[in-house]
Amino acid sequence: MTKSRRLTSFIVLSMTGGVIFQVAYIRFVFLADTAHALDLSIQRYGEVTSIFGAVAVVMYFCGGWFADRFSPKALIVVALAGMGLVDLWLSTVPGEAGVVVAHVLMAVLGMGLYWSSLVKLVSMLGSADEQGWLFGWLEGIRGITSTVVGFVGAGIVAAAIAESAGVLWVMRIYGALCLVFAVLVLLVVRVDRAALAGVEKQTVTLGQLVAAARNKYTWLIGASIMLMYCFYTLLGYLTPLLQYGYAVPVVLLGAIGVVRTYVFQIVGGPVGGVLVARWTKSSPAFLRWAFVVAAASALGFLVLPQQPALVWIAVALMVVMCVAVFTSRGVYWAQVGEVEVPLAQRGGVIGLASGLAYLPDAFLPAIAAWWVGDPANGVPQQGGGYTTMFAVLLGAALLGVLLTTITMRVRSRDRARRALDDTVVAAA
């Protein structure tokens, strides 16, 4: 494969990541508007997205199996085309059962067929020492695409007579884009079969999972990521707070949602990587500081009165929370290599830790929807509302500080033990 062909394939594949998940995670930008567009309450929509999250967790384990047994390029084309059709179908408001089915299909297509296939194809586009560059730019191009498409969507919703009608048009546009990219991948992306044959298999075997379950770092890494992922999952539920608690105009909510969800995605990962390399020199150490910052933002929301005059303080606290969340996302999995998990165990460790890390998607949206209520439909906050939500996040952040500290101490102890063993062997 020529260099230009490889670059073109990489850019197209990276851009697909910016469109395929847009409707599946549209709640991060348009929470209430999407729920009402689908004729659902925020509470029922939260339950539906929790079903999506539960299926997605299972599909993370199945994705490697699909990518190893079928053509990754074909799987990506099928996933994009299928997602496009599901998005278009969802925009017809197919009823509550149809909405549930659509979200199950999005989880199967996105996490089962698409994600592992994308990772496999991208990894074969460069040598071993180019993998960091490839996946760094993958996230960057994906984020830029998401931002551009997101701002277009926000503009459509803001211009619509009814925001819910605007959301349905945005779904149609995202669906059409998925179909366009399915054709682009089919026509433009080339696969070097020799390079593809040399890519590691991604199927996680039962034996690997058992070995991973016995590795202490699996639970430390998975649990710490899960606690930060709670913040990520709940970011979309700040929108009703800004709208009804601090009187942010509807026209600005979409733009704020796009910046919060996509712009920080572009800059957060690279910044996190730079800070680890030049400041903490350790991923767990950086994550500990990120949890401290996240705790400060959650505490700030806990004590800040919900008054329109304090809107910019609320926005600033949200920005601080986003900084902690998105800089962390860039270094989550660097911990696996840093603590020197054996290569033979890494697939199992990452697989099992991922199942734990992304578990909040399976239950937190439903709980959060119950907390925040649905002011537009007269549904009050339940279970303590935002006070409970931010208290839970504060607790998650403090527990995250504890777990990352334990990870650092266990790692230090293991290094000391290994150094002692090496000294004994050398002396013998």
Side-chain angles (χ1 to χ4, degrees):
M1 194 188 302
T2 64
K3 185 175 182 179
S4 60
R5 179 70 75 179
R6 184 180 290 112
L7 180 61
T8 303
S9 297
F10 174 72
I11 291 174
V12 171
L13 287 171
S14 299
M15 291 180 71
T16 63
V19 299
I20 192 169
F21 294 115
Q22 289 281 357
V23 174
Y25 289 102
I26 197 171
R27 69 183 186 276
F28 283 97
V29 182
F30 308 111
L31 174 64
D33 294 332
T34 303
H36 299 154
L38 297 174
D39 287 339
L40 301 175
S41 65
I42 290 179
Q43 289 67 41
R44 183 54 182 149
Y45 184 49
E47 294 168 1
V48 171
T49 53
S50 287
I51 293 171
F52 165 83
V55 177
V57 169
V58 175
M59 286 298 107
Y60 275 120
F61 289 100
C62 301
W65 185 89
F66 284 116
D68 288 341
R69 283 159 180 77
F70 302 98
S71 163
K73 176 181 172 180
L75 290 175
I76 289 175
V77 171
V78 170
L80 284 165
M83 193 73 82
L85 294 175
V86 171
D87 290 349
L88 292 173
W89 179 48
L90 190 63
S91 71
T92 66
V93 192
E96 186 173 312
V99 173
V100 173
V101 171
H103 280 77
V104 170
L105 290 174
M106 287 192 286
V108 173
L109 292 167
M111 285 68 179
L113 302 188
Y114 172 81
W115 185 248
S116 291
S117 300
L118 178 71
V119 170
K120 192 162 190 174
L121 277 192
V122 169
S123 64
M124 70 109 194
L125 292 174
S127 60
D129 57 357
E130 293 175 321
Q131 296 301 302
W133 180 90
L134 281 171
F135 284 97
W137 277 102
L138 167 66
E139 194 67 18
I141 295 173
R142 179 184 171 198
I144 291 170
T145 306
S146 298
T147 301
V148 173
V149 174
F151 271 120
V152 171
I156 292 171
V157 173
I161 297 176
E163 287 79 13
S164 57
V167 167
L168 295 178
W169 273 107
V170 169
M171 288 181 180
R172 295 177 188 121
I173 292 171
Y174 291 158
L177 284 174
C178 284
L179 294 175
V180 168
F181 272 99
V183 175
L184 281 176
V185 171
L186 182 64
L187 298 179
V188 174
V189 172
R190 293 292 180 268
V191 178
D192 185 331
R193 298 191 180 279
L196 185 61
V199 176
E200 278 188 31
K201 289 192 174 296
Q202 294 182 278
T203 304
V204 179
T205 65
L206 180 60
Q208 288 176 313
L209 289 177
V210 171
R214 295 172 179 169
N215 190 316
K216 55 186 175 292
Y217 289 117
T218 300
W219 305 103
L220 289 170
I221 292 172
S224 62
I225 295 175
M226 178 188 69
L227 293 167
M228 187 59 80
Y229 196 73
C230 289
F231 280 85
Y232 177 74
T233 301
L234 292 177
L235 281 176
Y237 292 88
L238 294 181
T239 300
L241 175 64
L242 294 177
Q243 181 176 2
Y244 297 104
Y246 296 99
V248 174
V250 173
V251 70
L252 292 179
L253 285 175
I256 290 174
V258 171
V259 171
R260 181 183 61 213
T261 306
Y262 302 127
V263 174
F264 277 99
Q265 178 185 9
I266 300 173
V267 300
V271 169
V274 169
L275 289 174
V276 169
R278 298 187 179 181
W279 174 38
T280 64
K281 310 296 183 182
S282 164
S283 299
F286 176 78
L287 287 173
R288 182 169 65 176
W289 279 109
F291 276 118
V292 170
V293 173
S297 65
L299 180 60
F301 273 116
L302 265 178
V303 301
L304 185 70
Q306 293 183 26
Q307 299 175 4
L310 302 175
V311 59
W312 292 113
I313 298 178
V315 171
L317 287 172
M318 183 195 71
V319 169
V320 170
M321 188 177 290
C322 288
V323 168
V325 169
F326 285 97
T327 54
S328 299
R329 282 166 64 86
V331 299
Y332 278 169
W333 299 109
Q335 297 179 93
V336 175
E338 191 172 315
V339 300
E340 298 179 14
V341 172
L343 286 173
Q345 294 184 24
R346 288 190 184 181
V349 168
I350 292 175
L352 186 55
S354 294
L356 178 62
Y358 302 126
L359 194 58
D361 265 346
F363 64 89
L364 208 47
I367 297 174
W370 181 66
W371 283 333
V372 306
D374 192 351
N377 288 329
V379 179
Q381 296 179 17
Q382 304 288 331
Y386 281 102
T387 299
T388 301
M389 189 175 94
F390 289 120
V392 168
L393 287 178
L394 177 59
L398 295 177
L399 186 55
V401 171
L402 175 62
L403 286 181
T404 49
T405 301
I406 292 173
T407 302
M408 293 165 62
R409 291 183 178 177
V410 170
R411 174 63 184 139
S412 179
R413 187 180 63 198
D414 285 352
R415 279 182 171 174
R417 184 185 298 117
R418 189 174 292 114
L420 179 61
D421 290 345
D422 290 343
T423 301
V424 171
V425 171

